[in-house]
Amino acid sequence: MNSLKDDEVGVTMEAREFVFAALAELAAQRATRSELAGLRRELQRLGKLAANASTTPNEFKLATYAYVQVLYGAARNARLNQIMRDLSEGVGHAFGHLSMATQEMRQAEYEAYRDLTEAVAGRDKDKVHALARRMHSTGVARAQQLQAAIPAAVVEFRGRRRRTRPLSATV
């Protein structure tokens, strides 16, 4: 799994798009005032990071994780949240930063989160669903574009390996 165009990565990213949209839509229906305030706080943080030329892609990526944790919490669907975590294991963590590599990309990402926040606050589930799907697919497209421009060895991903036996076991 070392390319965003690999079949496994592609189907995983496609599934993530739908789950992300479903979580965002549920958040639009269920978010409390406190959760909406939390989304706005995280959005404000994203805006500051996007405007700062010295922000690293990883700093911005971590801030987006904080935002989506509030969003996913507002959805109040533990199963979908777990599915998203499972889908993000490896693929999202390996390639997510590519969609935020430049300040221009981070600004575009911030603007997408701003639009999503406004739609969630407006309880417009159809708009939220469409925005979330577009955000995800646009991010994947940006990451693919950047990945195509850099050597494969730089972006190769080997993923996390789960051990099925204790480290002390000998073969």
Side-chain angles (χ1 to χ4, degrees):
M1 186 168 32
N2 63 11
S3 171
L4 280 163
K5 293 184 180 185
D6 287 350
D7 288 343
E8 183 181 347
V9 174
V11 296
T12 300
M13 296 306 262
E14 183 177 61
R16 284 183 84 248
E17 179 180 324
F18 282 96
V19 175
F20 178 63
L23 284 163
E25 185 179 332
L26 289 171
Q29 296 170 12
R30 300 174 178 173
T32 65
R33 286 183 184 169
S34 175
E35 289 163 334
L36 291 172
L39 281 177
R40 288 184 179 109
R41 274 191 304 277
E42 295 302 331
L43 179 68
Q44 186 176 36
R45 182 172 163 218
L46 284 172
K48 288 179 183 178
L49 289 170
N52 184 346
S54 66
T55 297
T56 67
N58 193 54
E59 287 173 313
F60 193 82
K61 179 178 75 169
L62 293 175
T64 66
Y65 289 174
Y67 176 97
V68 297
Q69 287 310 306
V70 175
L71 183 74
Y72 298 167
R76 282 192 269 310
N77 188 311
R79 184 65 183 129
L80 278 179
N81 199 332
Q82 181 61 53
I83 290 168
M84 181 56 105
R85 281 195 303 274
D86 292 345
L87 290 169
S88 296
E89 183 69 30
V91 174
H93 296 297
F95 299 115
H97 66 287
L98 290 177
S99 69
M100 305 168 195
T102 68
Q103 185 176 12
E104 180 181 86
M105 289 174 163
R106 291 188 291 276
Q107 185 63 40
E109 191 85 359
Y110 160 71
E111 290 169 7
Y113 277 109
R114 182 194 62 212
D115 293 345
L116 183 65
T117 302
E118 290 172 9
V120 169
R123 310 288 184 186
D124 188 341
K125 65 180 188 149
D126 293 332
K127 185 175 183 179
V128 165
H129 188 87
L131 285 170
R133 288 197 61 203
R134 185 169 59 229
M135 281 177 68
H136 192 278
S137 63
T138 300
V140 170
R142 281 196 309 261
Q144 286 174 329
Q145 182 181 27
L146 183 61
Q147 187 183 39
I150 55 181
V154 175
V155 295
E156 183 177 340
F157 173 68
R158 292 184 176 90
R160 292 186 186 180
R161 309 262 190 258
R162 291 189 179 154
R163 296 196 182 273
T164 55
R165 59 185 179 273
L167 287 173
S168 60
T170 59
V171 179

